[in-house]
Amino acid sequence: MVMKRPVPWVSPLLCLTVLLGGVYYAAVEAGPSLHTVGFAACLLLLVGVDVLDQRVPPIVLLGGRIALYIAVNALDVSGVSRVLFVLVPFTAYFAFGRRTAIVLGSACIAALTAAFTLLVPNWQVRSEYVSDLVMFSLGIVLAITMASVAVREREARVRLEGTMREVEALSAAQERNRLAREIHDSLGHHLTAIGIQLERAATFSDLDPKAAQDALSNARWSADRALTEVRQSVRALGRQPFRLTDALNELIEHLNNDSLAISLDVTGDERDRPLASLTAVYRAAQEALTNACRHSDATEVRLVLAYEDTRASLIVIDDGRGFDLREGFGLRGMRERIAHIGGRLELASAPGRTTVSVTVPW
């Protein structure tokens, strides 16, 4: 698979630098000539070849580059264009991989050595040629290293993007699961209660009109709560912040009446707390208040909510007649929700005092 070069600016920049260096040398030392014109034309053509990258087969691009590098060196009177050959392994790395780049880089060093041997007698004892060969070899090594770093950085970025997509997908799945649990715990609860109360109203409509009327009243209350919670869920989907204290006060305001007094004591600060923990506490309070209002004949309910550094705790106490801890509509869902986030739920019930205690971690 052909890899798009992560650093496409390197080759054009080096070609333009060589062009400026060669033209300057020709103007100052050798004087303008047709060689200089051809030299400049070949370098500009190389810049154009880099623009065509990824549009023609890699082997054709590599062959074209090498041919132009040779032509530029043949027309160059300054000798500076020799550095262009470091681009051979550099560009080959992205198209053909590390091994091919090393082979081509070694071939470039061997070719320069052979050229010195054929064209420069006793070059081995001339420091300027030995220095040129050493610097050229270092350039080849640095070019391959730079290409390797660029490829690894690109691969790491691709992996990071893939991981981020996976995290987003996981977050979306978790959000769907959370909403499903919300629907199960809130709407499911109320719709079941509405069904039970309507069935009760139908049964007692002739035998006990008052009981039937109470059942209808309870069904209307459950429908109202279901609608309220749907609106709360819509606000949550709109990313409006969920405030547990405000939600509890709203719930208490709806439930308070002449025959039932509900109070809330709050300590600590709920800012920047996990939504899952706050929602779990709210659902536990909702279930406890529902049981107190509809099943226990309580006249007073007290809620004590504490925000601490590592956890939140809620205690709900009512003075009702109590209930069987093995029963109680919604208790299993409450336990599952609290346990899911590593929290703890404790229940104690006796005539005159029922206590629901919830602790959730941050």
Side-chain angles (χ1 to χ4, degrees):
M1 179 180 180
V2 178
M3 179 183 296
K4 185 177 180 179
R5 280 188 291 158
V7 281
W9 50 268
V10 171
S11 181
L13 180 62
L14 187 57
C15 289
L16 292 175
T17 302
V18 170
L19 173 61
L20 292 176
V23 171
Y24 176 80
Y25 180 86
V28 174
E29 297 290 338
S33 66
L34 291 177
H35 281 75
T36 304
V37 175
F39 168 80
C42 288
L43 282 171
L44 293 176
L45 186 57
L46 273 169
V47 174
V49 168
D50 286 312
V51 175
L52 294 175
D53 198 2
Q54 301 296 314
R55 300 180 187 177
V56 296
I59 189 65
V60 175
L61 277 175
L62 181 61
R65 285 194 179 100
I66 293 175
L68 287 171
Y69 295 155
I70 295 173
V72 168
N73 275 266
L75 296 169
D76 183 20
V77 295
S78 67
V80 70
S81 59
R82 190 182 304 145
V83 71
L84 291 176
F85 282 100
V86 304
L87 294 175
V88 173
F90 179 78
T91 54
Y93 198 113
F94 306 115
F96 305 106
R98 177 172 175 269
R99 292 183 179 179
T100 301
I102 293 175
V103 169
L104 290 174
S106 301
C108 289
I109 297 173
L112 182 60
T113 304
F116 283 168
T117 302
L118 294 173
L119 302 175
V120 183
N122 300 318
W123 70 270
Q124 299 89 343
V125 296
R126 300 175 63 176
S127 61
E128 64 271 25
Y129 288 98
V130 173
S131 177
D132 283 352
L133 181 60
V134 171
M135 295 303 295
F136 182 77
S137 300
L138 288 176
I140 292 290
V141 171
L142 290 175
I144 294 174
T145 302
M146 182 179 177
S148 175
V149 171
V151 168
R152 291 182 181 179
E153 187 273 338
R154 180 183 178 86
E155 290 174 347
R157 186 165 61 249
V158 170
R159 287 195 297 269
L160 177 60
E161 291 173 354
T163 301
M164 291 179 65
R165 286 193 294 269
E166 291 176 359
V167 170
E168 290 175 357
L170 179 60
S171 298
Q174 291 176 337
E175 182 68 7
R176 287 194 297 269
N177 290 336
R178 186 186 71 81
L179 290 175
R181 182 176 289 272
E182 288 293 318
I183 293 172
H184 175 271
D185 291 349
S186 59
L187 292 181
H189 169 84
H190 291 302
L191 292 176
T192 302
I194 290 171
I196 293 173
Q197 295 300 331
L198 290 177
E199 183 178 349
R200 180 184 176 193
T203 301
F204 289 98
S205 59
D206 295 329
L207 300 176
D208 190 344
K210 184 179 183 306
Q213 186 62 36
D214 289 342
L216 289 174
S217 177
N218 287 333
R220 281 194 295 270
W221 183 88
S222 293
D224 181 69
R225 287 307 307 159
L227 180 59
T228 299
E229 289 169 18
V230 167
R231 290 169 178 167
Q232 290 172 346
S233 297
V234 171
R235 287 198 297 268
L237 285 174
R239 300 305 181 196
Q240 296 184 9
F242 174 75
R243 301 285 296 176
L244 174 58
T245 304
D246 294 343
L248 288 177
N249 281 321
E250 181 182 352
L251 180 61
I252 290 170
E253 181 180 358
H254 179 84
L255 295 176
N256 260 325
N257 55 58
D258 294 337
S259 59
L260 179 63
I262 306 175
S263 63
L264 172 64
D265 297 327
V266 181
T267 58
D269 189 353
E270 72 170 288
R271 289 182 299 179
D272 300 324
R273 305 301 187 183
L275 178 61
S277 298
L278 296 177
T279 304
V281 173
Y282 176 75
R283 293 303 180 199
Q286 181 186 50
E287 187 63 37
L289 287 174
T290 299
N291 288 331
C293 294
R294 297 186 41 206
H295 305 302
S296 69
D297 294 330
T299 60
E300 182 178 355
V301 182
R302 183 185 177 200
L303 287 80
V304 180
L305 176 62
Y307 301 105
E308 302 176 22
D309 291 338
T310 59
R311 64 180 186 174
S313 62
L314 172 71
I315 300 175
V316 182
I317 305 171
D318 72 66
D319 61 353
R321 66 189 180 197
F323 62 92
D324 189 341
L325 297 181
R326 294 171 300 179
E327 301 175 359
F329 184 75
L331 289 181
R332 186 175 66 176
M334 188 194 306
R335 289 185 186 278
E336 291 177 352
R337 173 181 286 275
I338 298 299
H340 180 70
I341 60 173
R344 186 176 71 253
L345 172 67
E346 298 178 356
L347 300 173
S349 184
R353 184 180 178 89
T354 295
T355 301
V356 179
S357 178
V358 176
T359 302
V360 297
W362 299 131

